[in-house]
Amino acid sequence: MDPSDLVTVTPYRDGPYVIRGPFRMFDQAGNEIPVHRTAIALCRCGRSRMRPFCDGTHRTFSFRAPSDPEAWPPTDACRQADGSTGLSQTARRPGAPVPSGNTTPEASPPPDETGADEASEHSDDPRALLAVLTRVHQARAQLEHALTPPLAAGAYTKLALAEPLLQAADRLLESIVAGTLSHERAASHGHNPVGTHDLDACRAVVQAALRSMPASPPEDRRVAHLRSLLEHATEALA
Amino acid sequence: MSFVLARPEPMRAALPAARGPWTRALFDALQEPPGAAIALPEVAAIDLLADDDLQLALYCCYELHYAGLAGVDERWEWDPALLRFRAEMEGRFERALCATVPTTRPEETLNVGETLQTLVAEDDGPPLSRFAETQASREQMLEHVTHRSAYQLKEADPHSWAIPRLRGAPKAALLEVQFDEYGGGRAERMHSALFAGTMRALGLDATYGAYLGRLPGITLAGVNLMSYFGLHRRRRGALVGHLAAFEMTSSTPNRRYGNALRRLGYGQDATLFYDEHVEADAVHENIAAWDLAGGLATAEPDVAADIVFGARALLALESRWAAHLLDAWRAGRSSLLHPFVVSTDG
């Protein structure tokens, strides 16, 4: 067969697998999955709402994955790089339960504070930092998920107040992952670290987002939780 | 005259009413055969990107290159007086864009695909699609679709101007996207045809240009931006960057617009356009960002900065347009120049 007739599969960086046909798709019971176009995108982040196809959701939570193969077996350097991918993976379950806790943030500290404290004390320890980030990422993913499906207008208005927090969490996660891991990733994957954020600028964004939140305590526990985690994370970076 | 059609073709927009000195001068001229000069009005636009008069005049000048205008002599398309008149408006448009859109920094041209990802991720435009999904009324969705008709009834056409101006891999990438936009060989699957289907399902008039007279300057500016980039070969980088950013910001909002119409009780005939875009643009955004924009930056490093400019210009104008709609709706006003009187027969 002429190699140019073969189907190609391209993992796009931070995005889906693009399959260029001609090809047919079947589910495991043998039912054909209709394909309407010559090239399709298959979900790689796991959070699409029309799996197996990509619907662009990876953009809403800063999914990270290289286009070229990740190094295997991992070296010390790229174990950190894997950590950033794993971070996205751990937080991606849309149905993950919201951490239990009181509905008002000041009534009792969120259950995750131990991780934040650990990072405050050892902020130069990348593993402790990653623990904080994982929690921020999970809280962010839960909030994002709560914002996505059609909601009653009242609930939406309440949750939409957290929009600056979501953006701040994105900046924080991207900045720290880029700041702590870009050199290792650049070395192991040949990525260009141009475009990564400066940590100071990121802290300023997060603090501005926290300041822009209404003075009265947010009613939604997911909002309160994310706010609390962000506050701890910025302290850990200070 | 034999070249003036007795009856307007459905595909040609009719000239709407003039709105000010630019449209008056242009529309008066277009009533006649070409040949005479078009006097330049002496006006200082205060907010040019949202100038209802100038943006409509520019839109109509560009329309001569697409479908033509009903009752207008087709030779106007390349008439030197008209081109001079258009160039004056384009100069002002370009200066207003440069005053709004930041200059590309040198380091942003090193990896254009990555720069585009960062720009899109950091874009903090007003949450129009979220508002639509959760709160917009039927009347507001009709307005949204009406605004979009200025582009979507000729979807993909402005970016096709880039085809003869590219070579090799970026050209192949552009055509991979465009082939899909044009229905993959099936006229009824063309995205412009799907959009017309949405308009009809909503009870709107899907005739090309039917609502041109209702559209404010900021809406027309978004389409003029593509036509301006598309009709000037030197802006091919910006045109490609515009397409990449357009595709990269399309999937999730289109899912939300589809949800908005479902929430309001519309069926698949209304939502097919949006549902199709969720799936299609999830493919296109990767090809457009990495293979097309990134590929062009590699092939022609001189235009890399303009690729980034085009992406930024799109995000800036989309953001202003979204703010215009949301501001109007939150104030209880129509976002169109002439609001609909909506019947309730559904």
Side-chain angles (χ1 to χ4, degrees):
Chain A
M1 182 185 272
D2 184 336
S4 65
D5 290 339
L6 291 174
V7 172
T8 65
V9 180
T10 311
Y12 277 85
R13 183 171 148 194
D14 305 336
Y17 302 104
V18 172
I19 322 290
R20 292 178 172 89
F23 55 86
R24 295 171 72 188
M25 281 180 69
F26 299 90
D27 68 16
Q28 61 189 40
N31 305 307
E32 180 140 23
I33 299 172
V35 174
H36 302 293
R37 47 176 42 83
T38 54
I40 59 159
L42 295 184
C43 176
R44 184 150 73 126
C45 76
R47 288 189 62 182
S48 168
R49 281 166 190 76
M50 43 182 240
R51 290 178 292 188
F53 302 104
C54 168
D55 70 351
T57 297
H58 55 272
R59 245 177 229 304
T60 64
F61 70 108
S62 302
F63 172 68
R64 292 281 175 266
S67 180
D68 52 341
E70 294 178 323
W72 186 262
T75 63
D76 281 350
C78 74
R79 201 165 289 139
Q80 295 300 322
D82 288 345
S84 72
T85 308
L87 193 63
S88 300
Q89 300 295 333
T90 52
R92 70 176 171 75
R93 290 185 303 276
V98 173
S100 60
N102 215 310
T103 48
T104 49
E106 63 271 36
S108 78
D112 307 76
E113 208 179 1
T114 45
D117 281 349
E118 191 186 345
S120 314
E121 287 160 22
H122 314 284
S123 60
D124 52 348
D125 179 349
R127 278 175 308 175
L129 204 51
L130 278 176
V132 178
L133 291 178
T134 305
R135 289 164 198 281
V136 172
H137 201 286
Q138 284 169 341
R140 191 229 175 283
Q142 285 159 2
L143 191 52
E144 172 71 30
H145 185 69
L147 271 166
T148 305
L151 292 170
Y156 177 79
T157 306
K158 190 172 71 174
L159 282 171
L161 291 173
E163 192 72 33
L165 282 189
L166 291 176
Q167 286 168 15
D170 282 346
R171 288 291 295 268
L172 182 75
L173 293 162
E174 285 169 17
S175 302
I176 297 173
V177 169
T180 57
L181 304 177
S182 63
H183 297 299
E184 289 86 345
R185 291 181 72 87
S188 62
H189 293 306
H191 285 162
N192 188 331
V194 168
T196 57
H197 306 292
D198 178 67
L199 276 182
D200 287 337
C202 164
R203 264 201 301 278
V205 169
V206 173
Q207 281 156 4
L210 291 171
R211 277 198 303 275
S212 78
M213 294 293 291
S216 57
E219 293 166 35
D220 189 277
R221 59 185 176 173
R222 288 163 294 211
V223 176
H225 185 53
L226 179 58
R227 179 217 280 267
S228 161
L229 284 168
L230 277 173
E231 283 166 353
H232 285 299
T234 46
E235 280 167 25
L237 288 169
Chain B
M1 280 167 283
S2 60
F3 39 76
V4 177
L5 292 167
R7 224 162 12 117
E9 280 185 334
M11 183 58 195
R12 293 181 171 199
L15 280 179
R19 297 175 177 177
W22 291 101
T23 43
R24 257 198 307 278
L26 177 67
F27 293 177
D28 283 352
L30 292 179
Q31 311 291 334
E32 307 295 329
I38 309 177
L40 288 175
E42 291 185 17
V43 283
I46 295 166
D47 183 3
L48 200 134
L49 297 179
D51 186 323
D52 294 333
D53 178 38
L54 182 141
Q55 294 294 348
L56 177 63
L58 189 53
Y59 187 96
C60 289
C61 285
Y62 288 143
E63 201 52 38
L64 295 169
H65 296 278
Y66 291 104
L69 292 162
V72 171
D73 190 318
E74 293 190 314
R75 293 174 300 176
W76 273 113
E77 180 185 4
W78 294 107
D79 178 75
L82 184 129
L83 294 179
R84 199 174 302 117
F85 186 82
R86 193 186 90 189
E88 175 65 29
M89 293 189 287
E90 286 177 323
R92 294 173 185 229
F93 188 38
E94 184 172 2
R95 286 192 291 278
L97 284 173
C98 289
T100 304
V101 179
T103 309
T104 307
R105 298 190 301 275
E107 68 270 21
E108 290 176 323
T109 64
L110 298 177
N111 186 334
V112 162
E114 189 167 67
T115 300
L116 296 179
Q117 304 287 341
T118 306
L119 286 184
V120 168
E122 290 180 349
D123 180 48
D124 55 354
L128 180 63
S129 62
R130 273 199 171 129
F131 179 92
E133 182 178 40
T134 57
Q135 305 176 48
S137 67
R138 172 166 173 261
E139 291 73 18
Q140 288 164 346
M141 286 309 294
L142 291 182
E143 289 196 359
H144 181 267
V145 169
T146 301
H147 284 285
R148 282 303 195 196
S149 69
Y151 167 61
Q152 239 94 42
L153 287 176
K154 59 180 173 200
E155 181 165 352
D157 286 347
H159 299 110
S160 290
W161 299 120
I163 295 171
R165 295 161 183 172
L166 303 180
R167 288 284 171 271
K171 187 185 193 113
L174 174 61
L175 278 156
E176 190 176 11
V177 172
Q178 296 298 84
F179 185 66
D180 209 32
E181 295 280 344
Y182 289 125
R186 293 166 59 193
E188 74 280 9
R189 297 289 296 187
M190 276 192 201
H191 289 182
S192 54
L194 297 180
F195 190 78
T198 290
M199 292 185 78
R200 284 189 290 269
L202 267 54
L204 290 167
D205 184 353
T207 308
Y208 191 81
Y211 298 118
L212 191 50
R214 295 179 190 267
L215 302 178
I218 186 60
T219 302
L220 300 171
V223 191
N224 288 339
L225 180 72
M226 306 181 222
S227 301
Y228 165 63
F229 289 155
L231 288 167
H232 292 266
R233 200 189 72 88
R234 70 184 169 90
R235 303 311 300 264
R236 62 196 177 282
L239 182 64
V240 160
H242 180 284
L243 175 60
F246 196 96
E247 299 289 348
M248 292 163 77
T249 51
S250 173
S251 275
T252 300
N254 276 313
R255 188 184 65 223
R256 293 180 175 143
Y257 293 129
N259 286 345
L261 295 179
R262 275 183 281 273
R263 174 174 60 77
L264 292 166
Y266 290 103
Q268 205 192 358
D269 51 345
T271 63
L272 180 62
F273 169 84
Y274 298 100
D275 299 339
E276 165 70 14
H277 274 74
V278 175
E279 190 177 323
D281 293 344
V283 180
H284 298 172
E285 62 165 87
N286 304 284
I287 300 168
W290 298 105
D291 302 329
L292 172 57
L296 179 60
T298 304
E300 294 192 69
D302 288 352
V303 304
D306 210 31
I307 297 174
V308 178
F309 180 90
R312 278 211 171 94
L314 166 80
L315 297 174
L317 284 193
E318 284 286 298
S319 176
R320 274 207 62 177
W321 173 76
H324 168 80
L325 267 64
L326 285 174
D327 288 350
W329 293 346
R330 284 173 177 152
R333 285 185 278 113
S334 165
S335 62
L336 298 170
L337 287 186
H338 309 291
F340 291 122
V341 179
V342 179
S343 65
T344 50
D345 54 15

